[in-house]
Amino acid sequence: MGSCDSTAVQESPVAYFRRQVNNCFEYAGDGKAAGAKIVGIMCEYTPREIIMAAGGIPVCLCGGSREMIEPAETVLPANLCPLIKSTFGYSLLKKNPFLEMADLVVAETTCDGKKKMYELLSRERPMYILELPQKSDDADSFDRWVHELDKFRKELETRFKTDITSEKLKEAIRVMNRERKLKRELSALMKEDDPPLTGRDLLDMKSLISGMPEDMVQYEKALVALKGREPDATSGSRVRVLLTGVPLPHGAERVIDIIENNGGLVVCQENCTGLKPLLEDVENGSTDPIISIAEKYYHLPCSVMMNNTRRIDHLKELAREYRAECVIELIWQDCITYDVESGLVKKMAEEELDIPYLRIGTDYSPSDTGRIAVRVEALFETVKGR
Amino acid sequence: MLFAGIDLGSRTIKIVLIDGNGKDIVSSGAVDQGIKQSERADELFEKVLFYTGASRADVGKIVATGYGRNAISWADTTVTEITCQARGTRQGHPDARTIVDIGGQDSKVISLDKNGAVRDFVMNDRCASGTGRFIEIVAQRLERGIDEVGFMAARAVGASIISSMCAVFAESEIVGLLAAGEPPENIIAGVEKSIAKRVASMAGRKVEEPVIFTGGVALVPGMKEALAEAFESAITVAERPRLTAALGAALLAAGRSEIYAKNIK
Ligand code: SF4
Ligand code: SF4
């Protein structure tokens, strides 16, 4: 067992992405030297297109390192999700070079933990907060979101002394739609009986920076290389897993590795580091690009929304499309919104899809790796015994 | 032809040998876990075999399970303790729908579907408070043997209230109770109740009956009653509750058409 097929891939498409932090660092450094603004972001609700249209470079600041947890706990309570603590720890220790470079950090009112952490962060960093309304199917809430994005556009114009024209927005939309499309196509390779890459490979093929031109070249290269690749002999015999729940930021890939080292293959990732933000594009060509951008982002099915029925619908579709044999949900410790929703996901998996469901609640510490492995393995035994 | 199941748990190693035709236990044994796990298992295997008069060549397949299952080079394959526990329990209790297994260092609740296949399971992930370890800590604290404490609980007039969620903090709570003159019997009863509650809350909702109790802690007097109260269900202690996982492993080794036969080399 194990991810024996990653060696062959390493030489080709994934190799570039395994150096992605460095690639991004160079790109951001060059950009900054040339006068571009570095804009830190921490959530998939952040409308990258508006930042890009303002001449900004959007960089993800989500922390995946467990080394940052302890320092963060000197200020934050321990019972917060590790993603929040790690991100904050980086700021305290000034260890995230992208944050240190950032001219502005943009964040949204999502979960309580993040909001309150942002409040503290804004004392140390230049920040702008977008208010994200949370009634997902309410027209007034949506109007409010459009208004917030309009305000954001004006704020960036003043701050960065620039004009965010419709043309610039349309260009940014074009770039982001292209990036999303390429990543969707890569993800779709996992639909095959013997996918040419592992879920971990796919997870690694992402970027901290949205819209980096070299990324597009590499995504395209990867698509060509992987499509023509001989399928791995073992991938077909592995249990096909749909992984859902919280995102797995860079450095926090432990759970996907446990799954894939114990007989599973993560064929679909319904989370913010997987397919969730890629499912919908921004309509290009409408009269008001801000409204089109608002629509795409407002549809993101995160558990902070209520009601978040869209997520369940997506999950059902994805499980069928990717022929998942079981659902594994990852919940970061103390993530209340995803945890509450997990009951609904379980019910849907067991009753509507008729496949087993496993919830893994953990944080960034490796102390429970063995136990998680047993549960995952037992789940796979159940799947195979069916 | 004989088949062997070997359960390398966190505290003890158990081996069950069954007869491939009748699927009856022909020999079994248990030994405490040592540093040299593989050697201890080896010795135990020889011993268990010796009683039957058979040799290693008579053993068709060996399935290893438990935490240390990968440490045994001479096993033919490994299966998790969850699947083995389910298989072993079903042998004596074919209608089992829920298995509560409390061992020395972990506990789990396994739910089975009508056909006896594992439907779902929960395990304690990072805490000793719902496991046999808690009883050990208290026994040490009271300077009593582990066998003795269960019988003491039977003599309790009431159960002390132990509110700490963590076995380590509970220890200091117990020191306080003792200082306040609380009878040790009541404290043990309180600990049993607290373990039962932890396991029940881990299981979440109401579990389906019949509920079968396995693992070493099932042998501790008073635990069954404490569990019955916490689960609000009738509880049946499995036959030979410490051996169910090893038995399951042996049955899986024997049964080619069984649940996990596909993976047996
Ligand atoms: S899970 Fe929700 S809060 Fe977290 S990044 Fe995604 S959209 Fe934002
Ligand atoms: S994982 Fe949950 S608690 Fe953590 S930031 Fe995302 S929504 Fe908030």
Side-chain angles (χ1 to χ4, degrees):
Chain A
M1 278 186 284
S3 51
C4 4
D5 44 348
S6 55
T7 34
V9 181
Q10 240 156 37
E11 291 320 305
S12 50
V14 193
Y16 164 85
F17 292 98
R18 297 244 154 89
R19 298 187 304 269
Q20 192 62 331
V21 174
N22 287 334
N23 301 338
C24 289
F25 188 62
E26 276 170 28
Y27 181 80
D30 293 349
K32 191 154 171 118
K37 303 291 182 189
I38 306 297
V39 180
I41 56 176
M42 287 171 285
C43 176
E44 286 302 331
Y45 280 110
T46 315
R48 276 92 169 135
E49 288 84 348
I50 303 181
I51 296 170
M52 286 155 72
I57 298 177
V59 189
C60 172
L61 301 177
C62 286
S65 160
R66 95 188 139 94
E67 264 86 66
M68 297 300 135
I69 304 274
E70 237 185 82
E73 285 178 357
T74 60
V75 180
L76 295 174
N79 57 343
L80 268 186
C81 106
L83 210 159
I84 298 176
K85 287 189 286 193
S86 186
T87 306
F88 189 73
Y90 270 115
S91 174
L92 269 186
L93 299 190
K94 302 191 171 21
K95 282 259 171 84
N96 183 341
F98 297 104
L99 177 59
E100 299 313 312
M101 257 187 225
D103 298 283
L104 178 69
V105 178
V106 180
E108 296 74 21
T109 54
T110 51
C111 67
D112 285 355
K114 268 189 164 177
K115 275 190 287 200
K116 300 310 281 185
M117 184 271 274
Y118 293 153
E119 223 176 283
L120 299 183
L121 207 63
S122 67
R123 293 168 172 239
E124 313 295 332
R125 311 282 176 174
M127 276 192 85
Y128 185 81
I129 305 285
L130 288 154
E131 188 190 351
L132 175 73
Q134 294 173 355
K135 278 163 85 179
S136 57
D137 287 318
D138 187 284
D140 293 336
S141 301
F142 177 69
D143 288 347
R144 168 95 197 118
W145 178 237
V146 174
H147 179 71
E148 277 291 306
L149 296 196
D150 263 327
K151 249 168 70 185
F152 180 48
R153 171 192 192 160
K154 290 191 189 98
E155 164 72 24
L156 289 185
E157 285 181 330
T158 329
R159 215 181 247 268
F160 297 161
K161 300 189 183 57
T162 179
D163 280 329
I164 302 182
T165 60
S166 283
E167 276 58 49
K168 289 183 191 168
L169 282 170
K170 282 178 183 159
E171 174 56 17
I173 292 171
R174 194 191 59 78
V175 170
M176 284 306 297
N177 279 353
R178 175 151 179 249
E179 180 172 301
R180 281 187 284 258
K181 177 168 175 276
L182 288 168
K183 289 173 82 175
R184 268 199 309 270
E185 284 176 16
L186 274 171
S187 306
L189 294 175
M190 303 303 288
K191 288 182 191 171
E192 293 171 19
D193 281 338
D194 301 290
L197 72 171
T198 63
R200 175 62 203 265
D201 290 335
L202 188 64
L203 178 62
D204 286 345
M205 295 176 80
K206 62 174 184 303
S207 184
L208 297 171
I209 294 179
S210 313
M212 230 162 85
E214 179 60 19
D215 287 356
M216 313 286 172
V217 176
Q218 294 291 337
Y219 286 135
E220 285 192 334
K221 261 173 114 174
L223 273 168
V224 174
L226 289 168
K227 271 183 186 159
R229 203 169 151 255
E230 285 290 306
D232 183 275
T234 66
S235 62
S237 63
R238 304 222 230 150
V239 173
R240 300 175 70 89
V241 178
L242 190 162
L243 178 65
T244 182
V246 297
L248 287 74
H250 180 76
E253 296 92 352
R254 186 173 59 109
V255 170
I256 199 169
D257 288 343
I258 296 175
I259 295 171
E260 298 202 323
N261 288 335
N262 285 282
L265 183 69
V266 175
V267 290
C268 179
Q269 302 175 47
E270 192 276 336
N271 57 32
C272 276
T273 38
L275 269 173
K276 198 189 299 233
L278 308 176
L279 290 172
E280 196 177 319
D281 279 334
V282 178
E283 193 203 325
N284 213 353
S286 68
T287 41
D288 190 346
I290 290 286
I291 293 183
S292 305
I293 292 170
E295 258 169 9
K296 182 250 159 354
Y297 286 93
Y298 204 61
H299 288 163
L300 193 78
C302 170
S303 61
V304 298
M305 284 291 182
M306 66 174 287
N307 295 314
N308 190 26
T309 45
R310 203 175 259 120
R311 175 170 174 228
I312 303 290
D313 295 342
H314 281 175
L315 274 169
K316 254 185 278 182
E317 260 170 52
L318 290 171
R320 293 195 176 116
E321 255 178 72
Y322 284 81
R323 288 172 292 125
E325 295 173 280
C326 60
V327 174
I328 298 183
E329 179 156 26
L330 172 63
I331 314 261
W332 293 130
Q333 195 171 302
D334 298 300
C335 172
I336 293 162
T337 54
Y338 274 101
D339 210 357
V340 171
E341 234 171 75
S342 70
L344 301 175
V345 177
K346 178 181 158 81
K347 201 165 153 27
M348 182 275 301
E350 290 179 347
E351 291 174 13
E352 294 185 54
L353 298 173
D354 193 28
I355 55 178
Y357 166 94
L358 179 71
R359 170 193 174 282
I360 298 174
T362 186
D363 58 16
Y364 290 178
S365 122
S367 65
D368 55 355
T369 296
R371 278 159 197 262
I372 295 174
V374 173
R375 299 178 62 206
V376 165
E377 231 187 300
L379 171 77
F380 295 161
E381 286 165 2
T382 304
V383 170
K384 289 185 176 173
R386 279 159 83 98
Chain B
M1 177 83 72
L2 298 175
F3 295 91
I6 165 160
D7 174 12
L8 294 113
S10 54
R11 313 303 289 263
T12 48
I13 303 172
K14 294 134 242 167
I15 296 183
V16 165
L17 267 182
I18 60 165
D19 167 344
N21 305 319
K23 292 187 177 170
D24 291 326
I25 297 186
V26 293
S27 178
S28 68
V31 65
D32 275 346
Q33 199 60 276
I35 300 171
K36 291 187 178 149
Q37 206 173 33
S38 173
E39 271 174 37
R40 302 222 75 176
D42 222 36
E43 283 163 25
L44 181 65
F45 192 42
E46 290 301 329
K47 223 196 245 166
V48 170
L49 266 178
F50 179 78
Y51 293 130
T52 66
S55 72
R56 283 211 178 196
D58 301 319
V59 181
K61 289 250 155 53
I62 304 171
V63 168
T65 186
Y67 284 146
R69 63 188 179 282
N70 293 317
I72 303 300
S73 56
W74 35 273
D76 293 291
T77 192
T78 62
V79 179
T80 63
E81 53 268 39
I82 292 162
T83 302
C84 288
Q85 194 66 258
R87 182 64 191 90
T89 304
R90 255 172 45 219
Q91 190 69 0
H93 309 270
D95 56 346
R97 293 301 295 273
T98 302
I99 302 167
V100 179
D101 178 75
I102 309 183
Q105 219 157 65
D106 64 299
S107 43
K108 38 185 147 353
V109 179
I110 306 171
S111 47
L112 307 174
D113 66 18
K114 282 195 290 291
N115 309 318
V118 176
R119 199 181 61 192
D120 195 9
F121 50 88
V122 282
M123 282 170 88
N124 69 315
D125 266 344
R126 273 182 173 164
C127 170
S129 65
T131 74
R133 180 84 191 107
F134 195 4
I135 298 184
E136 281 179 15
I137 291 174
V138 183
Q140 271 165 17
R141 203 14 100 192
L142 298 175
E143 297 176 358
R144 306 292 173 111
I146 186 84
D147 300 329
E148 208 182 328
V149 292
F151 293 106
M152 286 171 66
R155 294 198 300 268
V157 281
S160 314
I161 293 169
I162 292 166
S163 51
S164 298
M165 296 291 262
C166 159
V168 178
F169 289 140
E171 196 177 349
S172 43
E173 202 179 336
I174 287 162
V175 174
L177 287 169
L178 283 170
E182 185 80 359
E185 284 80 3
N186 293 8
I187 294 180
I188 308 267
V191 167
E192 288 189 341
K193 221 175 153 163
S194 153
I195 293 176
K197 267 201 200 144
R198 286 292 286 183
V199 177
S201 79
M202 181 176 85
R205 59 217 150 357
K206 177 113 178 79
V207 298
E208 272 182 77
E209 298 190 16
V211 183
I212 314 297
F213 188 8
T214 66
V217 174
L219 296 168
V220 177
M223 266 317 297
K224 178 187 150 180
E225 290 72 20
L227 267 193
E229 197 187 318
F231 276 86
E232 295 174 18
S233 291
I235 305 279
T236 308
V237 174
E239 277 174 58
R240 290 190 262 204
R242 295 177 72 197
L243 293 181
T244 41
L247 172 62
L251 288 165
L252 290 173
R256 280 158 218 281
S257 60
E258 295 289 349
I259 285 188
Y260 202 48
K262 287 180 215 169
N263 266 30
I264 293 183
K265 285 180 248 174

